[in-house]
Amino acid sequence: MGMVINHNLSALNTYNQLNLNSTAMNKSLQKLSSGYAINSAADDAAGLAISEKMRGQIRGLDQASSNAQNAISLVQTAEGALEETTEILQRMRELAAQSASDTNTDADRESIQSEIDALVEEINRIADTTEFNTKKLLDGSMAEANATAVANVSTNEELATTTTVAADLTTLTDADGNSLGIVAGDTVTVSYMMNGSLVTATTTVAAGVALEDIDDTNFTFSMNADNQLIATAAAAGTTGAVYGLTVTVANSDGETKTAATNALSSFTQTTAAKDVCSDGSASVLIGANTGQSISINIETMDASSLGVEGLKVDSYGAANVALKVIDTATATVTSARSKLGAIQNRLEHTINNLTTTSENLTAAESRIRDVDMASEMANYTKLSVITQAATAMLAQANQQPQQVLTLLQ
């Protein structure tokens, strides 16, 4: 190229290279100072989109882990309160056993009844006041929806599976095929608690008298699909529930026939009574996305729902039935505690999984978003040297037109 002064093409070329190098060095400086390989969409449009989606998942997982921690605290609060309810029921059972002895005077039983009444009030207080973050836990407000009231059902597994409600009482046998020894002239007394009151009904055994003949108006006997004797409350809901069903067989002298009584009284509640209620289940999001939630529900744990409201132990008969009523209540509370314990264990595993998933996603996002500092530092050093060299060459290129002056000398 000849000597020209209007266009210094060498300087222009060097200037362009200097600008390119400076821009590249500035980007490198930005990456080194921020620690990110992607600082704007222009750096890597696809990588940015993937990275932001991952960030959304990571933050969602971290919040879900926090949600699960809070849910564990809620469950522990409820289970802790039910633990005290269990202790109260154990004390009530002890008192009922104490009252189930005619060595006590009426004054003794009155004192025992006073403590029973106080303990029932405490069960109700615990149910009414146990809260987590002002949310009541045991008063039924966290129960599952129940559109129709349910009658409680008790099942007897000690009778022969060939038993029918129409079977003559004198032909009844236990599960091992042994005769219950019921004969004409014996009396069969059905006792149970309903709304805290002791209810009894007595039938005298005669030819042709069957189980269905000793049904009371408050419950009915029937057989389930496994040919087991079941007793179903006639009225649905907690107010119509029948608790502590006891069938006592006595001979004509009033002496209890133990084998027959034990077999016929071996009822276990298999369906608890429920009142109509709206859904109060607590839903907790334990994942990063919509629908990844767990539902926590706790049934009503007051005295009425447990069947011990107004419980009486003021006589031998009442105390004897009360023992079975309290056993049923204890089993109900224990079942609720077991359910809560299972939920807590599940949530702990959930937290472990969320933590691991968040860690792995963070590592994946880092590979996309974070800059390799060592590699970028080497790149920056290279660009720094090139930029300095371009600057020096630009100075040299700017000196070239001045050589034209030598022609004028």
Side-chain angles (χ1 to χ4, degrees), residues 104-113:
N104 293 289
T105 64
D106 290 342
D108 294 334
R109 284 193 169 118
E110 185 177 342
S111 298
I112 293 172
Q113 185 64 55

Side-chain angles (χ1 to χ4, degrees), residues 312-346:
K312 301 299 181 185
V313 293
D314 52 3
S315 66
Y316 170 80
N320 197 46
V321 173
L323 287 171
K324 296 190 68 176
V325 175
I326 295 170
D327 285 344
T328 298
T330 302
T332 300
V333 174
T334 301
S335 176
R337 291 179 62 189
S338 297
K339 180 180 177 181
L340 291 173
I343 291 174
Q344 180 177 338
N345 288 337
R346 175 184 175 182

Side-chain angles (χ1 to χ4, degrees), residues 51-72:
S51 173
E52 290 298 341
K53 283 191 291 184
M54 285 186 172
R55 284 188 172 185
Q57 290 294 297
I58 292 166
R59 294 179 67 170
L61 289 168
D62 292 343
Q63 184 57 56
S65 180
S66 178
N67 291 349
Q69 290 281 8
N70 290 335
I72 287 178

